[in-house]
């Protein structure tokens, strides 16, 4: 395993990921998550939908980032970003994804300076979607598309899990047991996600879309999303 993968997946990376709950805050507010069993179901559902799509987009971005410079221009990044945009129905989730992508790219350009990341930032000044930024940084750091997919799948469940501990006062050891139980599923996702343009998955997650839209309108929020 590439050690850079551990850095990318580390919640302590100063890229703002700790400020996003991935829908867990709103789910907790309405009572959809209130115990370990509910959190386990939420995480499995999230991994099978948004997590899978995110992992595939990250793998595709990693493959693009590792291509020869002549094949990694602005049109290619714009096209992949449009594919990501089309797979996020909620405007609130699209905004959160771009915010996270912009912060990750800004931080990573200081840690792993590269023309690839400069080109991506220039192609999408409004902020690249988070899985694109993650995949591009993974490529620059020397990770494979499968490793980029694993990092994306991992963060798609660890963010909400950590948020649930803070929101509901759940036992952090028990929550990490849930994550450990998900490890085989994370590895399956990383090993099987398609990376070709024509095969990118588009698994819908309407419940997450609704949670995001309600969350953005809440009067009191601990997390950005």
């Amino acid at each position: 395993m590439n050690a850079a993968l551990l850095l990318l997946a580390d919640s302590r990376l100063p890229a703002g990921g700790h400020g996003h709950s991935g829908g867990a805050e709103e789910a907790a507010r309405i009572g959809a998550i209130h115990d370990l069993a509910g959190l386990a179901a939420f995480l499995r559902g999230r991994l099978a939908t948004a997590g899978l799509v995110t992992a595939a987009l990250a793998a595709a971005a990693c493959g693009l980032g590792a291509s020869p410079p002549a094949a990694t221009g602005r049109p290619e990044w714009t096209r992949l970003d449009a594919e990501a945009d089309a797979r996020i129905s909620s405007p609130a989730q699209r905004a959160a994804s771009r915010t996270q992508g912009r912060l990750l790219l800004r931080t990573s350009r200081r840690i792993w300076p590269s023309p690839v990341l400069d080109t991506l930032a220039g192609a999408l000044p409004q902020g690249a979607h988070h899985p694109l930024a993650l995949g591009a940084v993974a490529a620059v750091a020397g990770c494979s598309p499968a490793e980029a997919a694993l990092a994306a799948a991992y963060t798609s469940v660890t963010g909400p899990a950590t948020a649930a501990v803070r929101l509901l006062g759940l036992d952090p050891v028990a929550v990490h047991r849930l994550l450990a139980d998900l490890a085989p599923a994370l590895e399956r996702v990383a090993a099987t996600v398609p990376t070709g343009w024509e095969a990118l998955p588009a698994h819908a997650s309407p419940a997450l879309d609704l949670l995001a839209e309600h969350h953005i309108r809440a009067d009191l929020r601990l997390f950005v999303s």
Side-chain angles (χ1 to χ4, degrees):
M1 179 182 292
N2 192 317
L5 182 66
L6 302 177
L7 294 174
L8 281 174
D10 193 334
S11 62
R12 292 165 293 188
L13 180 70
H18 63 280
H20 297 264
S21 78
E25 182 170 27
E26 184 64 17
R29 188 189 69 80
I30 65 174
I33 299 175
H34 57 84
D35 58 12
L36 285 172
L39 177 60
F42 180 85
L43 295 179
R44 289 192 178 277
R46 201 175 197 288
L47 178 61
T49 54
L52 175 64
V53 172
T54 296
L57 288 166
C62 185
L64 183 57
S67 301
T72 317
R74 294 191 176 195
E76 288 75 18
W77 287 122
T78 301
R79 179 184 176 188
L80 185 55
D81 188 76
E83 294 284 349
D85 213 47
R87 286 163 170 77
I88 307 174
S89 300
S90 159
Q93 286 207 84
R94 286 199 296 270
S97 177
R98 291 196 184 281
T99 297
Q100 291 182 79
R102 183 170 56 251
L103 292 174
L104 175 60
L105 195 56
R106 184 175 68 187
T107 298
S108 299
R109 289 172 73 187
R110 295 178 59 189
I111 301 172
W112 295 283
S114 168
V116 170
L117 302 184
D118 295 341
T119 299
L120 174 57
L124 300 164
Q126 75 276 30
H129 278 296
H130 183 257
L132 269 67
L134 179 59
V137 174
V140 168
C143 299
S144 69
E147 289 174 326
L150 181 58
Y154 172 81
T155 56
S156 77
V157 294
T158 54
T162 301
V165 171
R166 296 170 62 185
L167 292 162
L168 299 171
L170 298 176
D171 179 358
V173 176
V175 171
H176 268 70
R177 169 64 188 270
L178 295 181
L179 295 174
D181 290 342
L182 281 174
L186 293 172
E187 293 177 348
R188 283 195 299 272
V189 166
T192 60
V193 290
T195 58
W197 297 99
E198 70 287 348
L200 286 171
H203 292 53
S205 48
L208 289 176
D209 294 334
L210 291 172
L211 289 173
E213 291 304 310
H214 289 155
H215 180 268
I216 199 68
R217 292 169 174 79
D219 293 331
L220 181 63
R221 292 177 293 159
L222 180 61
F223 292 90
V224 178
S225 69

